[in-house]
Amino acid sequence: MSGEAGAVSREPGALAGYLTFQRFVGVLSVLVVLLCATVVLASLIGSVHIDLARALNGDLLDNTDRVILFETRLPRVLLAAIVGGSLATAGVVLQGLLRNPLAEPHLIGVSGGAALGAVIAVIVVGRGAFAETGLLPLAAALGALLSVGVIYRLALVHGRLQPYVLLLAGVIYNAFAGALILCVNAIADFYQAQGILFWLMGSLATHSYRLVLTIAVYSAVATVWLLLQTRHLNTLSLGEEGAMQLGVDVHRVRRASFIGASLLVGAAVSVSGIVGFVGLIVPHVMRLLLGADHRLLLPASMLAGAIFLIWADTIARTALGVVEIPVGVVTALCGGPFFIYLLKREGSKAFG
Amino acid sequence: MANSQESSLPFQAANLCFRYGAELVIDDISLELRCGEMLGVIGPNGSGKSTLLRLLSGVLQPERGDILLNGRPLAVYTRRQLGRQLAVVPQETIIEFPFSVTEVVLMGRSPHLGGFSFEGRRDLEIVHTAMARCGVSQLAKRSIHELSGGERQRVILARALAQEADILLLDEPGAFLDIRHEVEIYDLLHDLQREGRSIVTVLHDLNLAALYCDRVALLKDGQLMRLGPPGEVITYRAITEVYETEVYVELNTLTGAVNVLPLSRKYREKLAGQEPERRTKKPAPI
């Protein structure tokens, strides 16, 4: 499986087993096509059947099909794509940075920090102010960054990052942030509290293209920024010292990547609440399929994460008919068993 | 670099001191690496061999003392510049993700490439040659996780070669290898040395040190006990004193190099109280 990473060449003397430009473009093209097909298909699926031909006809008055397609379904599908892509990308980066395939924004406390940042911002300033300015993702990113900072400091032992301390610290921080959110929730008035709870469970419902665009800009900037670190992420898998000896400024790369990942998680959490496990499942499956080179793994996971969350959200809004399941519940229902499977696999690798 | 033939030495270290917490691990060590030589670093466990290597590679900063690389202080180089001049082979490399062998060797090109770019023709040629020299070409597409210890160490050595650095620092490159693979690695190092590279290697095997190294540095408790040609450093007196065990030393009839044989308790007791000279045997000519 992993041995297939790279160009397949039967030519004697030619180098094999590495990422060529052709392979890079080829894989990403396939995923882009799949994503486009997913966007179209998922927009057509829903509790109400819509007629595509009628929806695309702009001349009709009172065209409910058109309204449902373009004002309810499409923005929601696009938002799911961006959130899924962001979470998967953040997962790839965090796993690479911490050299731990179990790292995931949700598990290591980054999502919790982002949610806390967003909740505090909403309570203090009010949701309305943020809806106007589009700064809520920034507040969430700040919360994420702050929590990463705290967790990172805790995990630095004698100037060296201890990945396992970091994972533990993250899990504890997440619980702590959750408690703080509930605390804030208890203080907030009834309507605010209801809103916060619903948002925390994770929902992608939106009618606003403006919101979609705002989040898209945040995510695009962070993703390009992170893409520029991908070779260094490869080298980092040799360990801190190994990477340093190969000319990588480890501290700069870590800082840059943590900031980028925090922006992504912040953007995602600020619109959808906590949607767990996307950042765990997607990078893992992509690594198995495509190999470990982060230059391909990162953009491929972004696209696959988008596809994954669109389908998860499609299930969330259709599975029970008119009643909607929070999308976070769907991803957690997929992710929990997957995590246990991974844990078993990693465990058997380490101990036997 | 091209100017390594100049009078300036690849490495010059003066009065190095380093501490882990309160413990002085490197205690006032001064030594130099000469151009084109293989310098072996030997000594008991915990004598500071690996720490010395990590100081030279710039991963650790000395508490006191100076290190000059090609005549300039180590601190003035960026990590990238260091990566082009120094290649390090650690004792063991744990790679978390299932990279292919070629991908690992390509990482050696990192100091020459940007954060996101594809390797050029030249990079691929260099990697191809490095893999062939280390005998890992046929493993190209295999995952690094599927390899044996010996194969993996050769892949890491190929990665070091791909850096195209003039100085190699190795920490017990043969530690987990059987004798054939160990000797193959040192033979390769010997070839590299003859091509003009300067090499510092930590060894645990005194006989290999005597066989391959031009000079040997003997460390104990962070101090440099002796520095010189193997024949002068690896002597009965020095080894028994530093390792605190009885050994039998003789000159090998085939190679002329020193051979050190550790002795079991039975023979240690038998030899106790005898003249030290009796335990160093000069061979009869073949």
Side-chain angles (χ1 to χ4, degrees), chain A residues 3 13 16-18 24 95 99 101 227-228 230-231 234-235 237-238 241 244-247 287 292-293 295, chain B residues 54 57 59 79 88 94 96-97 99-100 102-103 106-107 110-111 113-119 124 128 141 163:
Chain A
Y18 69 101
F24 180 79
Q95 288 171 15
R99 303 178 69 204
L227 202 57
L228 293 176
T230 43
R231 182 194 294 286
N234 285 348
T235 316
S237 59
L238 297 169
E241 273 193 34
M244 278 167 112
Q245 286 158 348
L246 282 173
R287 199 178 286 116
D293 192 326
R295 287 176 299 168
Chain B
R54 289 162 81 196
S57 77
V59 169
R79 285 250 62 104
V88 184
I94 297 160
E96 187 53 55
F97 299 112
F99 285 99
S100 75
T102 307
E103 283 170 332
L106 271 167
M107 288 179 192
S110 291
L113 293 163
F116 182 92
S117 54
F118 288 87
E119 293 85 5
L124 298 175
H128 190 242
K141 285 159 66 179
Q163 277 176 263

Side-chain angles (χ1 to χ4, degrees), chain B residues 207 210-211 248-260 281-286:
Chain B
N207 297 321
L211 205 52
Y248 183 77
V249 178
E250 64 177 0
L251 291 180
N252 187 283
T253 45
L254 178 66
T255 63
V258 195
N259 275 172
V260 179
K281 186 184 162 201
K282 289 255 160 36
I286 302 176

